[in-house]
Amino acid sequence: MNNIRLEIFKKASLCRNFENELYKKVQDKIIKFPVYLSAGQEFIASSIAVKIQELNIAPDIFIQHRGHSTYLAFGGDIYSLIDEMLGRKSGCANGMGGSASIQCKEKNIYGHDGLMGNQVPIGVGACFASKTPTIVFVGDSAAEEDYSLSSIGWASTKKLPILFIVEDNNLSILTEKKVRRNWEMHDVAKGMKVLSYDIKDDPMEIYDHLKNSFNEPILLNINTVRKFWHAGAGKDEENFDRYEEEMNFFGKEGREIDEYNNKLVLGAWKKQLEKQ
Amino acid sequence: MEKTVRETIKDITRIHLLEKKSMCFGQCLTAVGWVGGTLPELYEDDGMVEVATSDVANGGFVVGAGLKGIRPIYVVRYQGFQWYNAPIIINYACKSKEIWDIPCPIFIRSIAMEGAIGPVAGSSHHSLFQRMPGSKIISPMTPKEYEFAYQEFMKDDDVYYVSEHRRSYDNFEELQDVIHEDSDFTLFPISITRFDAEKARVILKEQGYKVNIIHQLWIKPFEFKDEWKLALNNSKYGGMVLDDDYEEGVASSIAHTMMLSSDKRVYTFGLEHRTAGFHPDVDNLPPSPEAISEKVKSIILNKKI
């Protein structure tokens, strides 16, 4: 099992280093539009991506606005992502998508348009039409959108091979969940007869909950911690950092992986910036 | 007897589902009436998909199906419901090709009717789609026009907003433009006003006025054809765009385009800028033949209405 955990960490490490560097690029004003950093949440997409590799399937993936880690974990090209941040036509969304609307056709990752939560009905509709295994990522706030909820209900009615991943960082910008609602997503989904679980972003816990994916709709509400601000380069208050914990778990090997990805990301940025 | 608009739509839908292997989404499709008799009696296994009573999400389901390239038909039984069904279509399907190079063609059957159906359901609402990029809007009122709209859609990869009207479903005749070399006035009617414009033209002819009618099938993109421009410029008192939507939308936009490239005034006549009630005394209906002819006369006689 440690091999799987290590594979997950490798993906998460790429994501974390990418976000750390992008954070600096925003601070240095090289990037001048809002970015939605996913640092702190990277083990969700990384764990699922490793499971998908193991299942040897190519699901359709409907991404949320905070989606750099999803893009990278599922194999999206880092150079195209950097170009997108630089607003270039060679970017993964033709330079139109910025941070929030990235896509990767090669990996079946569909872009998000900025209407929070609309990836849920769109993903459900695509899954219904194609019957292709489908993963929909949504934040805990966007999941509250009325159309998100009714879409989960319809997916249940139609017994679709779909996996709903609620990336629950407890925050809508800075408004906590307890201010916004007195109910939990997994309870609502259960009421709609969807197999639902409320779990931590512990990589092996996520991995274990993916055993029966795509036989019927499943919803995982995954509690996680956003490291940076909702948008831009700033830090939320100091919180538990899963990445540090996992890196420490792997000791020297973990630090080497981190260092390798740091160099990879720095090299990629350097190369793309020199193209200008 | 020749085929009606209703039978044309039904035949197209049957072919689209059974031969093209597509899907038709909508609420209460298989209920008694089959959407005014415009749908064949098919069910989910054939591609006739009953969606939930969740208008906003339903628009999203259709967008998802569109992304998978099946060219879905989406039936919205009252155009006023587009205010709930449109958000994801307008914001995702209409922009997908431009942002991501992924077309999302959808054939939206948006059905208008009016008369005692109150503040939400009534009239046409094609102006809602007109002001946003990425969609095409066409309003067929005859069998051949409907067939044309479908064929254009099948050749294209854009979202098509097909602005229908229930009063056209029994129609089996094609509508012809009427253009005089020395006319007094030109009418540019859209949707259901095309039928009443023809009646108004006859009323006005009996009273000694020569009125052109130039039927508007394509709403967006709008092309002001040279022969239309000539007809307008040859109309002594200008022209008027007629619509089944509020004037502050498609009608004003088209009139503006016409005025910029002609030397005549183009007026608008559509729904009054107020909410429709259910009772006939407070309803808000498209211009009647009598109202159209009175308005034309008032313009010609330089009177205010």
PDB file of all heavy atoms in Angstrom, chain B residues 194-226:
ATOM      1  N   ARG B 194     -46.067  37.654 -38.195  1.00  0.00           N
ATOM      2  CA  ARG B 194     -46.029  37.556 -39.663  1.00  0.00           C
ATOM      3  C   ARG B 194     -47.411  37.291 -40.239  1.00  0.00           C
ATOM      4  O   ARG B 194     -47.754  37.783 -41.319  1.00  0.00           O
ATOM      5  CB  ARG B 194     -45.046  36.461 -40.083  1.00  0.00           C
ATOM      6  CG  ARG B 194     -43.609  36.810 -39.710  1.00  0.00           C
ATOM      7  CD  ARG B 194     -42.688  35.644 -39.852  1.00  0.00           C
ATOM      8  NE  ARG B 194     -42.629  35.183 -41.229  1.00  0.00           N
ATOM      9  CZ  ARG B 194     -42.018  34.053 -41.604  1.00  0.00           C
ATOM     10  NH1 ARG B 194     -41.418  33.293 -40.692  1.00  0.00           N
ATOM     11  NH2 ARG B 194     -42.015  33.699 -42.864  1.00  0.00           N
ATOM     12  N   PHE B 195     -48.203  36.506 -39.526  1.00  0.00           N
ATOM     13  CA  PHE B 195     -49.558  36.207 -40.007  1.00  0.00           C
ATOM     14  C   PHE B 195     -50.448  37.450 -39.896  1.00  0.00           C
ATOM     15  O   PHE B 195     -51.231  37.763 -40.789  1.00  0.00           O
ATOM     16  CB  PHE B 195     -50.154  35.044 -39.207  1.00  0.00           C
ATOM     17  CG  PHE B 195     -49.403  33.749 -39.400  1.00  0.00           C
ATOM     18  CD1 PHE B 195     -48.468  33.328 -38.466  1.00  0.00           C
ATOM     19  CD2 PHE B 195     -49.618  32.963 -40.530  1.00  0.00           C
ATOM     20  CE1 PHE B 195     -47.773  32.138 -38.634  1.00  0.00           C
ATOM     21  CE2 PHE B 195     -48.916  31.769 -40.705  1.00  0.00           C
ATOM     22  CZ  PHE B 195     -47.996  31.363 -39.762  1.00  0.00           C
ATOM     23  N   ASP B 196     -50.331  38.159 -38.777  1.00  0.00           N
ATOM     24  CA  ASP B 196     -51.171  39.333 -38.558  1.00  0.00           C
ATOM     25  C   ASP B 196     -50.709  40.518 -39.403  1.00  0.00           C
ATOM     26  O   ASP B 196     -51.514  41.388 -39.755  1.00  0.00           O
ATOM     27  CB  ASP B 196     -51.213  39.691 -37.072  1.00  0.00           C
ATOM     28  CG  ASP B 196     -52.000  38.646 -36.282  1.00  0.00           C
ATOM     29  OD1 ASP B 196     -52.828  37.939 -36.913  1.00  0.00           O
ATOM     30  OD2 ASP B 196     -51.769  38.502 -35.074  1.00  0.00           O
ATOM     31  N   ALA B 197     -49.424  40.528 -39.734  1.00  0.00           N
ATOM     32  CA  ALA B 197     -48.932  41.586 -40.621  1.00  0.00           C
ATOM     33  C   ALA B 197     -49.590  41.462 -41.994  1.00  0.00           C
ATOM     34  O   ALA B 197     -49.947  42.466 -42.625  1.00  0.00           O
ATOM     35  CB  ALA B 197     -47.416  41.494 -40.757  1.00  0.00           C
ATOM     36  N   GLU B 198     -49.766  40.241 -42.448  1.00  0.00           N
ATOM     37  CA  GLU B 198     -50.404  40.026 -43.742  1.00  0.00           C
ATOM     38  C   GLU B 198     -51.866  40.509 -43.708  1.00  0.00           C
ATOM     39  O   GLU B 198     -52.340  41.150 -44.646  1.00  0.00           O
ATOM     40  CB  GLU B 198     -50.323  38.531 -44.116  1.00  0.00           C
ATOM     41  CG  GLU B 198     -51.013  38.142 -45.413  1.00  0.00           C
ATOM     42  CD  GLU B 198     -50.525  38.937 -46.643  1.00  0.00           C
ATOM     43  OE1 GLU B 198     -49.369  39.393 -46.647  1.00  0.00           O
ATOM     44  OE2 GLU B 198     -51.331  39.109 -47.586  1.00  0.00           O
ATOM     45  N   LYS B 199     -52.542  40.229 -42.597  1.00  0.00           N
ATOM     46  CA  LYS B 199     -53.928  40.719 -42.465  1.00  0.00           C
ATOM     47  C   LYS B 199     -53.952  42.253 -42.434  1.00  0.00           C
ATOM     48  O   LYS B 199     -54.827  42.888 -43.018  1.00  0.00           O
ATOM     49  CB  LYS B 199     -54.559  40.156 -41.193  1.00  0.00           C
ATOM     50  CG  LYS B 199     -54.841  38.659 -41.263  1.00  0.00           C
ATOM     51  CD  LYS B 199     -55.389  38.152 -39.938  1.00  0.00           C
ATOM     52  CE  LYS B 199     -55.485  36.626 -39.955  1.00  0.00           C
ATOM     53  NZ  LYS B 199     -55.621  36.060 -38.608  1.00  0.00           N
ATOM     54  N   ALA B 200     -52.985  42.818 -41.723  1.00  0.00           N
ATOM     55  CA  ALA B 200     -52.915  44.289 -41.646  1.00  0.00           C
ATOM     56  C   ALA B 200     -52.656  44.889 -43.032  1.00  0.00           C
ATOM     57  O   ALA B 200     -53.217  45.934 -43.383  1.00  0.00           O
ATOM     58  CB  ALA B 200     -51.810  44.698 -40.676  1.00  0.00           C
ATOM     59  N   ARG B 201     -51.819  44.216 -43.795  1.00  0.00           N
ATOM     60  CA  ARG B 201     -51.516  44.704 -45.144  1.00  0.00           C
ATOM     61  C   ARG B 201     -52.798  44.780 -45.989  1.00  0.00           C
ATOM     62  O   ARG B 201     -53.034  45.757 -46.721  1.00  0.00           O
ATOM     63  CB  ARG B 201     -50.504  43.770 -45.815  1.00  0.00           C
ATOM     64  CG  ARG B 201     -49.990  44.249 -47.166  1.00  0.00           C
ATOM     65  CD  ARG B 201     -49.159  43.190 -47.866  1.00  0.00           C
ATOM     66  NE  ARG B 201     -49.967  42.055 -48.318  1.00  0.00           N
ATOM     67  CZ  ARG B 201     -50.686  42.039 -49.425  1.00  0.00           C
ATOM     68  NH1 ARG B 201     -50.714  43.099 -50.216  1.00  0.00           N
ATOM     69  NH2 ARG B 201     -51.397  40.971 -49.752  1.00  0.00           N
ATOM     70  N   VAL B 202     -53.647  43.751 -45.845  1.00  0.00           N
ATOM     71  CA  VAL B 202     -54.894  43.719 -46.611  1.00  0.00           C
ATOM     72  C   VAL B 202     -55.819  44.848 -46.158  1.00  0.00           C
ATOM     73  O   VAL B 202     -56.430  45.543 -46.987  1.00  0.00           O
ATOM     74  CB  VAL B 202     -55.575  42.333 -46.457  1.00  0.00           C
ATOM     75  CG1 VAL B 202     -56.959  42.341 -47.108  1.00  0.00           C
ATOM     76  CG2 VAL B 202     -54.691  41.239 -47.070  1.00  0.00           C
ATOM     77  N   ILE B 203     -55.898  45.042 -44.845  1.00  0.00           N
ATOM     78  CA  ILE B 203     -56.733  46.142 -44.308  1.00  0.00           C
ATOM     79  C   ILE B 203     -56.260  47.483 -44.883  1.00  0.00           C
ATOM     80  O   ILE B 203     -57.051  48.307 -45.353  1.00  0.00           O
ATOM     81  CB  ILE B 203     -56.653  46.179 -42.764  1.00  0.00           C
ATOM     82  CG1 ILE B 203     -57.309  44.920 -42.156  1.00  0.00           C
ATOM     83  CG2 ILE B 203     -57.311  47.442 -42.200  1.00  0.00           C
ATOM     84  CD1 ILE B 203     -57.068  44.770 -40.647  1.00  0.00           C
ATOM     85  N   LEU B 204     -54.949  47.666 -44.850  1.00  0.00           N
ATOM     86  CA  LEU B 204     -54.388  48.941 -45.311  1.00  0.00           C
ATOM     87  C   LEU B 204     -54.570  49.114 -46.826  1.00  0.00           C
ATOM     88  O   LEU B 204     -54.820  50.233 -47.315  1.00  0.00           O
ATOM     89  CB  LEU B 204     -52.903  49.029 -44.930  1.00  0.00           C
ATOM     90  CG  LEU B 204     -52.658  49.230 -43.428  1.00  0.00           C
ATOM     91  CD1 LEU B 204     -51.234  48.835 -43.042  1.00  0.00           C
ATOM     92  CD2 LEU B 204     -52.926  50.693 -43.032  1.00  0.00           C
ATOM     93  N   LYS B 205     -54.487  48.016 -47.548  1.00  0.00           N
ATOM     94  CA  LYS B 205     -54.674  48.078 -49.013  1.00  0.00           C
ATOM     95  C   LYS B 205     -56.092  48.548 -49.328  1.00  0.00           C
ATOM     96  O   LYS B 205     -56.298  49.383 -50.236  1.00  0.00           O
ATOM     97  CB  LYS B 205     -54.417  46.697 -49.608  1.00  0.00           C
ATOM     98  CG  LYS B 205     -54.464  46.658 -51.124  1.00  0.00           C
ATOM     99  CD  LYS B 205     -54.229  45.255 -51.629  1.00  0.00           C
ATOM    100  CE  LYS B 205     -54.356  45.219 -53.151  1.00  0.00           C
ATOM    101  NZ  LYS B 205     -54.279  43.841 -53.659  1.00  0.00           N
ATOM    102  N   GLU B 206     -57.051  48.021 -48.560  1.00  0.00           N
ATOM    103  CA  GLU B 206     -58.448  48.412 -48.768  1.00  0.00           C
ATOM    104  C   GLU B 206     -58.655  49.903 -48.498  1.00  0.00           C
ATOM    105  O   GLU B 206     -59.583  50.515 -49.008  1.00  0.00           O
ATOM    106  CB  GLU B 206     -59.368  47.582 -47.861  1.00  0.00           C
ATOM    107  CG  GLU B 206     -59.520  46.142 -48.343  1.00  0.00           C
ATOM    108  CD  GLU B 206     -60.133  45.227 -47.291  1.00  0.00           C
ATOM    109  OE1 GLU B 206     -60.400  45.709 -46.165  1.00  0.00           O
ATOM    110  OE2 GLU B 206     -60.308  44.026 -47.600  1.00  0.00           O
ATOM    111  N   GLN B 207     -57.779  50.464 -47.682  1.00  0.00           N
ATOM    112  CA  GLN B 207     -57.891  51.892 -47.345  1.00  0.00           C
ATOM    113  C   GLN B 207     -56.972  52.755 -48.223  1.00  0.00           C
ATOM    114  O   GLN B 207     -56.768  53.935 -47.957  1.00  0.00           O
ATOM    115  CB  GLN B 207     -57.580  52.094 -45.868  1.00  0.00           C
ATOM    116  CG  GLN B 207     -58.620  51.405 -44.980  1.00  0.00           C
ATOM    117  CD  GLN B 207     -58.274  51.483 -43.500  1.00  0.00           C
ATOM    118  OE1 GLN B 207     -57.493  52.321 -43.082  1.00  0.00           O
ATOM    119  NE2 GLN B 207     -58.856  50.598 -42.723  1.00  0.00           N
ATOM    120  N   GLY B 208     -56.340  52.109 -49.205  1.00  0.00           N
ATOM    121  CA  GLY B 208     -55.569  52.867 -50.187  1.00  0.00           C
ATOM    122  C   GLY B 208     -54.082  52.976 -49.918  1.00  0.00           C
ATOM    123  O   GLY B 208     -53.387  53.770 -50.551  1.00  0.00           O
ATOM    124  N   TYR B 209     -53.553  52.190 -48.970  1.00  0.00           N
ATOM    125  CA  TYR B 209     -52.120  52.260 -48.663  1.00  0.00           C
ATOM    126  C   TYR B 209     -51.394  51.062 -49.251  1.00  0.00           C
ATOM    127  O   TYR B 209     -51.871  49.930 -49.165  1.00  0.00           O
ATOM    128  CB  TYR B 209     -51.896  52.271 -47.145  1.00  0.00           C
ATOM    129  CG  TYR B 209     -52.512  53.455 -46.459  1.00  0.00           C
ATOM    130  CD1 TYR B 209     -53.697  53.313 -45.724  1.00  0.00           C
ATOM    131  CD2 TYR B 209     -51.932  54.720 -46.536  1.00  0.00           C
ATOM    132  CE1 TYR B 209     -54.282  54.388 -45.081  1.00  0.00           C
ATOM    133  CE2 TYR B 209     -52.509  55.806 -45.899  1.00  0.00           C
ATOM    134  CZ  TYR B 209     -53.680  55.638 -45.170  1.00  0.00           C
ATOM    135  OH  TYR B 209     -54.259  56.717 -44.547  1.00  0.00           O
ATOM    136  N   LYS B 210     -50.245  51.329 -49.830  1.00  0.00           N
ATOM    137  CA  LYS B 210     -49.412  50.251 -50.378  1.00  0.00           C
ATOM    138  C   LYS B 210     -48.361  49.878 -49.348  1.00  0.00           C
ATOM    139  O   LYS B 210     -47.469  50.691 -49.042  1.00  0.00           O
ATOM    140  CB  LYS B 210     -48.705  50.711 -51.652  1.00  0.00           C
ATOM    141  CG  LYS B 210     -49.485  50.486 -52.913  1.00  0.00           C
ATOM    142  CD  LYS B 210     -48.569  50.770 -54.077  1.00  0.00           C
ATOM    143  CE  LYS B 210     -49.328  50.671 -55.389  1.00  0.00           C
ATOM    144  NZ  LYS B 210     -48.493  51.080 -56.506  1.00  0.00           N
ATOM    145  N   VAL B 211     -48.460  48.686 -48.824  1.00  0.00           N
ATOM    146  CA  VAL B 211     -47.548  48.274 -47.745  1.00  0.00           C
ATOM    147  C   VAL B 211     -46.771  47.025 -48.156  1.00  0.00           C
ATOM    148  O   VAL B 211     -47.359  46.044 -48.620  1.00  0.00           O
ATOM    149  CB  VAL B 211     -48.337  48.007 -46.442  1.00  0.00           C
ATOM    150  CG1 VAL B 211     -47.425  47.450 -45.355  1.00  0.00           C
ATOM    151  CG2 VAL B 211     -49.012  49.295 -45.966  1.00  0.00           C
ATOM    152  N   ASN B 212     -45.470  47.080 -47.986  1.00  0.00           N
ATOM    153  CA  ASN B 212     -44.617  45.897 -48.216  1.00  0.00           C
ATOM    154  C   ASN B 212     -44.616  45.001 -46.969  1.00  0.00           C
ATOM    155  O   ASN B 212     -44.719  45.502 -45.843  1.00  0.00           O
ATOM    156  CB  ASN B 212     -43.162  46.293 -48.449  1.00  0.00           C
ATOM    157  CG  ASN B 212     -42.969  47.151 -49.687  1.00  0.00           C
ATOM    158  OD1 ASN B 212     -43.755  47.057 -50.626  1.00  0.00           O
ATOM    159  ND2 ASN B 212     -41.932  47.966 -49.671  1.00  0.00           N
ATOM    160  N   ILE B 213     -44.419  43.726 -47.221  1.00  0.00           N
ATOM    161  CA  ILE B 213     -44.115  42.819 -46.096  1.00  0.00           C
ATOM    162  C   ILE B 213     -42.833  42.072 -46.432  1.00  0.00           C
ATOM    163  O   ILE B 213     -42.742  41.436 -47.494  1.00  0.00           O
ATOM    164  CB  ILE B 213     -45.237  41.791 -45.861  1.00  0.00           C
ATOM    165  CG1 ILE B 213     -46.472  42.482 -45.305  1.00  0.00           C
ATOM    166  CG2 ILE B 213     -44.767  40.726 -44.863  1.00  0.00           C
ATOM    167  CD1 ILE B 213     -47.527  41.521 -44.816  1.00  0.00           C
ATOM    168  N   ILE B 214     -41.885  42.153 -45.546  1.00  0.00           N
ATOM    169  CA  ILE B 214     -40.636  41.384 -45.707  1.00  0.00           C
ATOM    170  C   ILE B 214     -40.476  40.507 -44.464  1.00  0.00           C
ATOM    171  O   ILE B 214     -40.191  40.993 -43.363  1.00  0.00           O
ATOM    172  CB  ILE B 214     -39.428  42.321 -45.904  1.00  0.00           C
ATOM    173  CG1 ILE B 214     -39.653  43.178 -47.161  1.00  0.00           C
ATOM    174  CG2 ILE B 214     -38.145  41.511 -46.009  1.00  0.00           C
ATOM    175  CD1 ILE B 214     -38.561  44.184 -47.440  1.00  0.00           C
ATOM    176  N   HIS B 215     -40.697  39.228 -44.644  1.00  0.00           N
ATOM    177  CA  HIS B 215     -40.731  38.292 -43.504  1.00  0.00           C
ATOM    178  C   HIS B 215     -39.333  38.058 -42.941  1.00  0.00           C
ATOM    179  O   HIS B 215     -38.371  37.866 -43.692  1.00  0.00           O
ATOM    180  CB  HIS B 215     -41.332  36.957 -43.954  1.00  0.00           C
ATOM    181  CG  HIS B 215     -42.790  37.065 -44.270  1.00  0.00           C
ATOM    182  ND1 HIS B 215     -43.744  37.068 -43.294  1.00  0.00           N
ATOM    183  CD2 HIS B 215     -43.455  37.190 -45.449  1.00  0.00           C
ATOM    184  CE1 HIS B 215     -44.944  37.184 -43.842  1.00  0.00           C
ATOM    185  NE2 HIS B 215     -44.796  37.274 -45.179  1.00  0.00           N
ATOM    186  N   GLN B 216     -39.238  38.038 -41.641  1.00  0.00           N
ATOM    187  CA  GLN B 216     -37.963  37.845 -40.956  1.00  0.00           C
ATOM    188  C   GLN B 216     -37.889  36.418 -40.386  1.00  0.00           C
ATOM    189  O   GLN B 216     -38.559  36.095 -39.416  1.00  0.00           O
ATOM    190  CB  GLN B 216     -37.810  38.865 -39.821  1.00  0.00           C
ATOM    191  CG  GLN B 216     -37.858  40.300 -40.306  1.00  0.00           C
ATOM    192  CD  GLN B 216     -36.755  40.609 -41.308  1.00  0.00           C
ATOM    193  OE1 GLN B 216     -35.576  40.481 -40.997  1.00  0.00           O
ATOM    194  NE2 GLN B 216     -37.148  40.987 -42.521  1.00  0.00           N
ATOM    195  N   LEU B 217     -37.064  35.604 -41.026  1.00  0.00           N
ATOM    196  CA  LEU B 217     -36.872  34.237 -40.555  1.00  0.00           C
ATOM    197  C   LEU B 217     -35.661  34.186 -39.627  1.00  0.00           C
ATOM    198  O   LEU B 217     -35.761  33.741 -38.489  1.00  0.00           O
ATOM    199  CB  LEU B 217     -36.669  33.310 -41.760  1.00  0.00           C
ATOM    200  CG  LEU B 217     -36.272  31.870 -41.464  1.00  0.00           C
ATOM    201  CD1 LEU B 217     -37.334  31.170 -40.629  1.00  0.00           C
ATOM    202  CD2 LEU B 217     -36.024  31.106 -42.776  1.00  0.00           C
ATOM    203  N   TRP B 218     -34.535  34.667 -40.104  1.00  0.00           N
ATOM    204  CA  TRP B 218     -33.318  34.704 -39.284  1.00  0.00           C
ATOM    205  C   TRP B 218     -33.342  35.931 -38.389  1.00  0.00           C
ATOM    206  O   TRP B 218     -33.424  37.046 -38.866  1.00  0.00           O
ATOM    207  CB  TRP B 218     -32.068  34.785 -40.170  1.00  0.00           C
ATOM    208  CG  TRP B 218     -31.573  33.486 -40.719  1.00  0.00           C
ATOM    209  CD1 TRP B 218     -31.622  33.089 -42.018  1.00  0.00           C
ATOM    210  CD2 TRP B 218     -30.940  32.427 -39.994  1.00  0.00           C
ATOM    211  NE1 TRP B 218     -31.058  31.839 -42.149  1.00  0.00           N
ATOM    212  CE2 TRP B 218     -30.619  31.409 -40.923  1.00  0.00           C
ATOM    213  CE3 TRP B 218     -30.608  32.239 -38.655  1.00  0.00           C
ATOM    214  CZ2 TRP B 218     -29.994  30.217 -40.559  1.00  0.00           C
ATOM    215  CZ3 TRP B 218     -29.989  31.055 -38.283  1.00  0.00           C
ATOM    216  CH2 TRP B 218     -29.686  30.058 -39.225  1.00  0.00           C
ATOM    217  N   ILE B 219     -33.231  35.717 -37.116  1.00  0.00           N
ATOM    218  CA  ILE B 219     -33.140  36.846 -36.180  1.00  0.00           C
ATOM    219  C   ILE B 219     -31.673  37.146 -35.875  1.00  0.00           C
ATOM    220  O   ILE B 219     -31.263  38.281 -35.746  1.00  0.00           O
ATOM    221  CB  ILE B 219     -33.922  36.517 -34.887  1.00  0.00           C
ATOM    222  CG1 ILE B 219     -35.420  36.401 -35.203  1.00  0.00           C
ATOM    223  CG2 ILE B 219     -33.665  37.565 -33.812  1.00  0.00           C
ATOM    224  CD1 ILE B 219     -36.274  35.956 -34.041  1.00  0.00           C
ATOM    225  N   LYS B 220     -30.893  36.090 -35.778  1.00  0.00           N
ATOM    226  CA  LYS B 220     -29.462  36.248 -35.493  1.00  0.00           C
ATOM    227  C   LYS B 220     -28.713  35.093 -36.124  1.00  0.00           C
ATOM    228  O   LYS B 220     -29.068  33.941 -35.841  1.00  0.00           O
ATOM    229  CB  LYS B 220     -29.249  36.271 -33.985  1.00  0.00           C
ATOM    230  CG  LYS B 220     -27.805  36.483 -33.573  1.00  0.00           C
ATOM    231  CD  LYS B 220     -27.680  36.304 -32.064  1.00  0.00           C
ATOM    232  CE  LYS B 220     -26.232  36.315 -31.669  1.00  0.00           C
ATOM    233  NZ  LYS B 220     -26.043  35.966 -30.268  1.00  0.00           N
ATOM    234  N   PRO B 221     -27.717  35.307 -36.954  1.00  0.00           N
ATOM    235  CA  PRO B 221     -27.247  36.625 -37.365  1.00  0.00           C
ATOM    236  C   PRO B 221     -28.265  37.319 -38.255  1.00  0.00           C
ATOM    237  O   PRO B 221     -28.926  36.665 -39.066  1.00  0.00           O
ATOM    238  CB  PRO B 221     -25.966  36.303 -38.136  1.00  0.00           C
ATOM    239  CG  PRO B 221     -26.141  34.897 -38.609  1.00  0.00           C
ATOM    240  CD  PRO B 221     -26.965  34.213 -37.575  1.00  0.00           C
ATOM    241  N   PHE B 222     -28.357  38.634 -38.103  1.00  0.00           N
ATOM    242  CA  PHE B 222     -29.283  39.407 -38.914  1.00  0.00           C
ATOM    243  C   PHE B 222     -28.539  40.020 -40.090  1.00  0.00           C
ATOM    244  O   PHE B 222     -27.544  40.710 -39.914  1.00  0.00           O
ATOM    245  CB  PHE B 222     -29.937  40.514 -38.092  1.00  0.00           C
ATOM    246  CG  PHE B 222     -30.800  41.402 -38.925  1.00  0.00           C
ATOM    247  CD1 PHE B 222     -32.032  40.952 -39.402  1.00  0.00           C
ATOM    248  CD2 PHE B 222     -30.385  42.679 -39.273  1.00  0.00           C
ATOM    249  CE1 PHE B 222     -32.829  41.751 -40.208  1.00  0.00           C
ATOM    250  CE2 PHE B 222     -31.179  43.498 -40.074  1.00  0.00           C
ATOM    251  CZ  PHE B 222     -32.394  43.028 -40.539  1.00  0.00           C
ATOM    252  N   GLU B 223     -29.037  39.722 -41.279  1.00  0.00           N
ATOM    253  CA  GLU B 223     -28.426  40.292 -42.480  1.00  0.00           C
ATOM    254  C   GLU B 223     -29.456  41.189 -43.158  1.00  0.00           C
ATOM    255  O   GLU B 223     -30.553  40.726 -43.500  1.00  0.00           O
ATOM    256  CB  GLU B 223     -28.010  39.170 -43.450  1.00  0.00           C
ATOM    257  CG  GLU B 223     -27.329  39.672 -44.695  1.00  0.00           C
ATOM    258  CD  GLU B 223     -27.283  38.630 -45.822  1.00  0.00           C
ATOM    259  OE1 GLU B 223     -27.700  37.476 -45.577  1.00  0.00           O
ATOM    260  OE2 GLU B 223     -26.854  38.981 -46.917  1.00  0.00           O
ATOM    261  N   PHE B 224     -29.115  42.449 -43.300  1.00  0.00           N
ATOM    262  CA  PHE B 224     -30.022  43.397 -43.951  1.00  0.00           C
ATOM    263  C   PHE B 224     -29.756  43.333 -45.457  1.00  0.00           C
ATOM    264  O   PHE B 224     -28.857  43.993 -45.975  1.00  0.00           O
ATOM    265  CB  PHE B 224     -29.775  44.801 -43.403  1.00  0.00           C
ATOM    266  CG  PHE B 224     -30.839  45.798 -43.758  1.00  0.00           C
ATOM    267  CD1 PHE B 224     -32.138  45.398 -44.073  1.00  0.00           C
ATOM    268  CD2 PHE B 224     -30.558  47.149 -43.755  1.00  0.00           C
ATOM    269  CE1 PHE B 224     -33.119  46.312 -44.392  1.00  0.00           C
ATOM    270  CE2 PHE B 224     -31.529  48.088 -44.079  1.00  0.00           C
ATOM    271  CZ  PHE B 224     -32.811  47.661 -44.399  1.00  0.00           C
ATOM    272  N   LYS B 225     -30.546  42.516 -46.140  1.00  0.00           N
ATOM    273  CA  LYS B 225     -30.283  42.240 -47.554  1.00  0.00           C
ATOM    274  C   LYS B 225     -30.509  43.485 -48.421  1.00  0.00           C
ATOM    275  O   LYS B 225     -31.350  44.333 -48.097  1.00  0.00           O
ATOM    276  CB  LYS B 225     -31.190  41.105 -48.036  1.00  0.00           C
ATOM    277  CG  LYS B 225     -30.867  39.778 -47.361  1.00  0.00           C
ATOM    278  CD  LYS B 225     -31.824  38.696 -47.814  1.00  0.00           C
ATOM    279  CE  LYS B 225     -31.495  37.385 -47.102  1.00  0.00           C
ATOM    280  NZ  LYS B 225     -32.519  36.369 -47.322  1.00  0.00           N
ATOM    281  N   ASP B 226     -29.784  43.529 -49.525  1.00  0.00           N
ATOM    282  CA  ASP B 226     -29.845  44.703 -50.401  1.00  0.00           C
ATOM    283  C   ASP B 226     -31.266  44.975 -50.889  1.00  0.00           C
ATOM    284  O   ASP B 226     -31.708  46.132 -50.953  1.00  0.00           O
ATOM    285  CB  ASP B 226     -28.914  44.515 -51.613  1.00  0.00           C
ATOM    286  CG  ASP B 226     -27.456  44.635 -51.218  1.00  0.00           C
ATOM    287  OD1 ASP B 226     -27.183  45.169 -50.115  1.00  0.00           O
ATOM    288  OD2 ASP B 226     -26.595  44.177 -51.983  1.00  0.00           O
TER     289      ASP B 226
END
